[in-house]
Amino acid sequence: MNTITVNAYAKINLGLDVIRKRPDGYHDVCMIMQSLDLHDIITISRIPSTGIKIRTNLSYLPNDQGNLVYRAAALFLEAARIKDGLNITLEKNIPVAAGLAGGSSDAAATLKGLNELYQTGLSTEELKGLGVKIGADVPYCVQLGTALSEGIGEVLTPLPAIPECTVLLVKPDISVSTKYVYENLRLTGTVTHPDIAGMRHALEQNDLSSLAKTMDNLLQTVTVKDYPIITDIKRKMLELGALTSLMSGSGPTVFGIYKNVELAKKAFNYFKRHKHYGKQVFLTKPYYPER
Ligand code: ATP
């Protein structure tokens, strides 16, 4: 085999709580992660020369060390002591800098793809160990599905899968800096922490309505103040029949969970027509790796 094609799935956070700021500046988090069917497509080919060449459909993305695909490929080749060169094409469908872990997922899929291409037989745990060197979310992107993520994001516990539903994504045309969000997060005083235990319970009961009622993201306490468009999208999604609507990660993408696919399609068409909410609008569903 000289070429392999792999999918890199987007994620949303069904729940996101921040426990504390650590002395090293990182934050301990407690999040419920969920993979989505929306994915990038990565094709990797071995070439006789040396070096890693990346081509992508987004001209503004770096094609060198700045691209997480490059870093994952270089890390893998070094760890496996492989001297080949690689041609990699990256078809981006996941919005960039959106709170959907697109870059981390590309890195994870690159590691998994290379493991298969070279038949190196690294275990999932070994791939996660390489992935964490690239970023805290990469181990989850290796694992996929529904999972509790703790520590800085690298301590993972698989959870029962989310019941079937439709997920609407709207990315407003703003950039939100993750650093800014964490720096402005207040963890003391009257802050109400998301009920992660309640969400776990709802997943264990396979109960989408209770899950939706408990889902929450603490980082919204920062972003809704500064970016009213996030509240506008959430409100509109609820008006259009979403069970719940939340910001994913540190934003700015907002997602809505729909039980009824027809309502979800109507809402999707509404946002497609009203572009001031955001030009990037997707209708997708959870991705179930085991199915
Ligand atoms: P997270 O949810 O983990 O915070 P994100 O969705 O906010 O991630 P990404 O799309 O992963 O953000 O990328 C953020 C930055 O990383 C971008 O500014 C981009 O230039 C850089 N980057 C490097 N490699 C990639 C890649 N393969 N895909 C997307 N962005 C990449």
Side-chain angles (χ1 to χ4, degrees):
M1 183 165 48
N2 280 321
T3 297
I4 192 163
T5 297
V6 282
N7 291 345
Y9 297 92
K11 68 85 192 160
I12 50 174
N13 301 91
L14 304 180
L16 194 163
D17 193 13
V18 181
I19 312 300
R20 66 180 184 112
K21 184 166 182 183
R22 303 163 20 144
D24 62 9
Y26 286 94
H27 287 82
D28 277 327
V29 291
C30 185
M31 313 188 280
I32 297 187
M33 317 288 275
Q34 176 61 53
S35 316
L36 298 179
D37 205 33
L38 173 69
H39 58 268
D40 296 339
I41 301 171
I42 302 170
T43 301
I44 311 172
S45 303
R46 304 161 71 152
I47 48 170
S49 56
T50 55
I52 300 166
K53 294 178 188 66
I54 298 188
R55 278 184 306 152
T56 157
N57 57 329
L58 295 184
S59 55
Y60 57 85
L61 275 187
N63 55 10
D64 55 9
Q65 284 287 350
N67 197 307
L68 296 187
V69 166
Y70 186 107
R71 286 176 46 199
L75 189 67
F76 180 91
L77 292 180
E78 194 195 325
R81 299 201 169 82
I82 294 169
K83 301 263 180 289
D84 285 3
L86 298 172
N87 260 348
I88 306 181
T89 57
L90 168 61
E91 183 185 328
K92 283 298 295 181
N93 300 308
I94 305 172
V96 174
L100 299 171
S104 302
S105 194
D106 291 344
T110 301
L111 293 173
K112 287 163 93 170
L114 286 168
N115 193 33
E116 218 174 307
L117 184 65
Y118 284 101
Q119 301 280 296
T120 19
L122 297 185
S123 67
T124 302
E125 289 314 307
E126 287 170 313
L127 291 173
K128 287 180 182 171
L130 285 179
V132 77
K133 295 182 182 173
I134 301 169
D137 280 349
V138 181
Y140 164 73
C141 295
V142 169
Q143 175 171 314
L144 300 172
T146 312
L148 183 72
S149 154
E150 296 171 289
I152 58 166
E154 84 294 12
V155 182
L156 297 168
T157 311
L159 294 177
I162 187 174
E164 284 191 23
C165 58
T166 304
V167 182
L168 174 64
L169 301 171
V170 178
K171 183 195 167 282
D173 305 332
I174 53 172
S175 3
V176 174
S177 139
T178 304
K179 191 165 174 274
Y180 173 86
V181 173
Y182 276 97
E183 276 174 4
N184 286 279
L185 182 66
R186 298 270 162 280
L187 290 173
T188 48
T190 56
V191 64
T192 311
H193 287 271
D195 179 13
I196 300 287
M199 287 173 232
R200 283 186 79 165
H201 183 71
L203 285 168
E204 278 150 17
Q205 301 295 312
N206 199 35
D207 183 343
L208 187 63
S209 316
S210 317
L211 177 68
K213 279 186 196 121
T214 36
M215 281 166 53
D216 193 11
N217 177 351
L218 190 69
L219 301 183
Q220 291 180 146
T221 55
V222 180
T223 53
V224 296
K225 282 196 208 114
D226 295 346
Y227 306 99
I229 185 76
I230 291 177
T231 309
D232 295 346
I233 299 172
K234 286 171 53 150
R235 194 180 293 132
K236 197 51 149 180
M237 284 187 180
L238 292 173
E239 235 177 85
L240 295 170
L243 295 183
T244 190
S245 175
L246 283 189
M247 185 182 80
S248 183
S250 57
T253 303
V254 176
F255 65 92
I257 300 282
Y258 288 80
K259 192 169 182 162
N260 180 316
V261 67
E262 292 310 319
L263 279 182
K265 282 183 189 161
K266 277 191 187 149
F268 170 76
N269 289 329
Y270 178 90
F271 281 104
K272 281 298 238 187
R273 284 198 309 274
H274 295 82
K275 295 208 184 308
H276 65 276
Y277 287 106
K279 285 187 281 299
Q280 289 177 286
V281 182
F282 302 87
L283 197 59
T284 184
K285 50 188 176 18
Y287 172 67
Y288 300 96
E290 312 300 334
R291 292 185 193 167

